[in-house]
Amino acid sequence: MAVRNQPETRWAWVEVDRGALRKNVRAFRRLLRGRERLCCVVKADAYGHGASECCQIMQQAGADMFAVATVAEGVQLRETGIKLPVLVLSEPPIEAIPTLLAYNVMPSVYTVEFALAYGECAVQAGTVGRYHLAIETGMNRIGVPCTEALEFRRSIDFHRGLECDGVFTHFATADDPDGWDYQLQRKRFDEAVAALRDAGLEVGTVHCDNTPATIFDPASHYDMVRVGIGLYGLMPCESARGRIELAPVMSVRARVTRTAHPAMGEGVGYGFTYRVPRTTVQICTLPIGYADGLARTLSNRMEVLYRGQRVRQVGNICMDQCMVAIQQTTVRPMPEAEVGDVMTIVGRDGDDEITMDEMAALRGTINYEVACGFGMRLDKVYV
Ligand SMILES: *Cc1c(COP(=O)(O)O)cnc(C)c1O
């Protein structure tokens, strides 16, 4: 297949489709009624897609805010010139407070100790410490228990160095919006926000929706939604398919670095978990392995696309390389590969496509983890 772009130093890479990313951001913008803001979740280097590049595109396409998982990720956005508000989706260590203030990155807050230290530091720096209050409504991960939100605010609101910029929670079962668990979380959140409002406290931006809640439950959009996986063109669950039109953003490709025709009975890779059945098998080496996100559990179970057709991966996947076998059959004659030929590990080639979901199913995990994995070491090219 024709390659529009590729890294210079390694024949394996993640291809990020800028147009698809732009299209997905706009699709979510259209889903919102206009007043609601769109917070793009770009944690884990934008789910492996490269946060610096993706944020620029998202900003142009209509993002209002960015959310990250760590302070370092927030700092990275500032260093690449992002000016929109940035929220860290958990409460960082107290030691991170000077960095948060210096880079204007907002923390999530749920301990009095952190909140007061943050306010104190902000006053000393001659600024105000804006934060989002995380409320625990059922996920049992982070946040102030929903029944204690008012009490929590009362114990920190005296501090003139603090400003509540938002209040949020996170759903554990947003893929089942009719379920009791989801409804209970919503109810608890509504009650906690109402209690704060009734007490006359500033709540700022109220938000709770991740991708599935944004798609399934427009009534819960409130002031803002936090969309992650959907922006990258991946469905949060099967039932979301058909509800919104999204285009996959990430493809993973590699060029053949070596070809050989080992004799019948020869083994391939560590442990010889594959042996050449007959001499008409061509073994091709690809420079991508489990340290690149190609999980070793896929060994001898996955396929890659070559000239729009599926070929089997064979032998144990190594840390940095793997092998595939081109095997001629009478029903499917296939040209042998040459060094430099492109193979597609995830993505479209001709009429066929290997999706993140297909790979996730083979691995027994979710598309989120597959995308993040490929983002960790592979070079990214933006097409
Ligand atoms: C990761 C995350 C999101 C985004 O979730 P998606 O399912 O990817 O849309 C939103 N909010 C919080 C708190 C998160 O941790």
Side-chain angles (χ1 to χ4, degrees):
M1 66 172 295
V3 177
R4 286 183 279 178
N5 202 349
Q6 66 169 85
E8 283 171 16
T9 56
R10 196 176 178 209
W11 271 4
W13 65 97
V14 157
E15 192 180 283
V16 177
D17 184 337
R18 289 188 173 101
L21 182 58
R22 213 171 280 129
K23 194 169 154 256
N24 297 336
V25 174
R26 292 192 181 131
F28 278 99
R29 271 250 76 101
R30 277 196 300 278
L31 210 67
L32 304 176
R33 284 169 297 200
R35 190 182 56 82
E36 305 143 359
R37 292 190 286 151
L38 176 63
C39 174
C40 294
V41 181
V42 294
K43 62 196 183 195
D45 204 23
Y47 292 45
H49 295 66
S52 306
E53 282 274 349
C54 288
C55 286
Q56 305 293 347
I57 297 164
M58 290 166 172
Q59 194 169 274
Q60 286 165 12
D64 297 300
M65 182 165 166
F66 291 110
V68 293
T70 68
V71 177
E73 288 175 351
V75 168
Q76 187 203 336
L77 296 197
R78 289 288 178 242
E79 285 183 336
T80 60
I82 293 296
K83 298 283 191 282
L84 290 173
V86 174
L87 172 67
V88 180
L89 291 169
S90 63
E91 190 182 83
I94 285 180
E95 291 72 20
I97 288 173
T99 310
L100 289 168
L101 292 167
Y103 285 89
N104 187 23
V105 169
M106 284 185 288
S108 295
V109 161
Y110 38 92
T111 70
V112 171
E113 199 187 358
F114 180 92
L116 296 183
Y118 184 54
E120 224 26 63
C121 248
V123 169
Q124 274 163 33
T127 177
V128 58
R130 271 180 272 277
Y131 70 92
H132 282 225
L133 173 64
I135 298 184
E136 161 54 43
T137 57
M139 172 99 165
N140 285 302
R141 184 171 72 172
I142 61 161
V144 175
C146 49
T147 52
E148 296 163 25
L150 183 56
E151 187 190 330
F152 179 84
R153 283 291 297 275
R154 287 205 161 121
S155 47
I156 66 168
D157 270 27
F158 71 88
H159 206 293
R160 65 192 168 94
L162 288 173
E163 185 181 312
C164 182
D165 190 75
V167 173
F168 75 101
T169 194
H170 188 54
F171 293 120
T173 61
D175 51 343
D176 179 22
D178 298 323
W180 164 253
D181 295 319
Y182 174 81
Q183 296 297 335
L184 182 61
Q185 278 200 272
R186 272 210 55 185
K187 182 166 165 287
R188 286 171 170 169
F189 183 60
D190 287 350
E191 286 169 1
V193 174
L196 297 174
R197 282 199 169 121
D198 290 348
L201 302 181
E202 180 58 58
V203 291
T205 304
V206 175
H207 52 109
C208 54
D209 285 4
N210 53 3
T211 299
T214 302
I215 293 172
F216 291 129
D217 188 14
S220 67
H221 289 175
Y222 297 108
D223 299 327
M224 183 168 82
V225 296
R226 302 185 306 269
V227 179
I229 198 77
L231 297 175
Y232 309 101
L234 302 173
M235 289 296 164
C237 50
E238 273 310 308
S239 50
R241 225 169 275 285
R243 293 288 203 115
I244 185 169
E245 194 70 37
L246 299 173
V249 176
M250 182 189 287
S251 303
V252 182
R253 306 199 200 273
R255 284 184 186 274
V256 174
T257 54
R258 178 182 185 269
T259 67
H261 296 85
M264 190 198 322
E266 288 281 315
V268 173
Y270 292 120
F272 293 166
T273 56
Y274 170 86
R275 283 182 189 272
V276 174
R278 52 178 197 271
T279 50
T280 55
V281 174
Q282 185 193 33
I283 301 295
C284 305
T285 304
L286 297 174
I288 178 171
Y290 59 77
D292 300 300
L294 196 66
R296 192 169 177 278
T297 51
L298 293 166
S299 297
N300 292 302
R301 299 170 56 225
M302 59 170 277
E303 295 170 319
V304 305
L305 296 178
Y306 170 60
R307 299 195 181 208
Q309 296 197 66
R310 286 175 180 251
V311 298
R312 275 182 61 205
Q313 187 280 325
V314 297
N316 278 333
I317 294 171
C318 311
M319 188 181 292
D320 320 293
Q321 305 182 75
C322 68
M323 281 66 85
V324 302
I326 295 182
Q327 194 167 337
Q328 308 299 331
T329 66
T330 42
V331 292
R332 194 185 70 164
M334 186 181 282
E336 295 212 315
E338 286 175 27
V339 169
D341 281 352
V342 174
M343 296 201 178
T344 297
I345 289 96
V346 174
R348 176 163 285 285
D349 178 13
D351 293 334
D352 205 348
E353 181 180 11
I354 292 173
T355 63
M356 287 286 173
D357 293 303
E358 175 181 338
M359 191 161 274
L362 272 180
R363 280 179 56 176
T365 184
I366 52 176
N367 52 21
Y368 295 69
E369 187 182 6
V370 180
C372 285
F374 284 125
M376 284 196 285
R377 186 172 76 176
L378 290 172
D379 286 319
K380 290 157 201 95
V381 302
Y382 296 85
V383 299

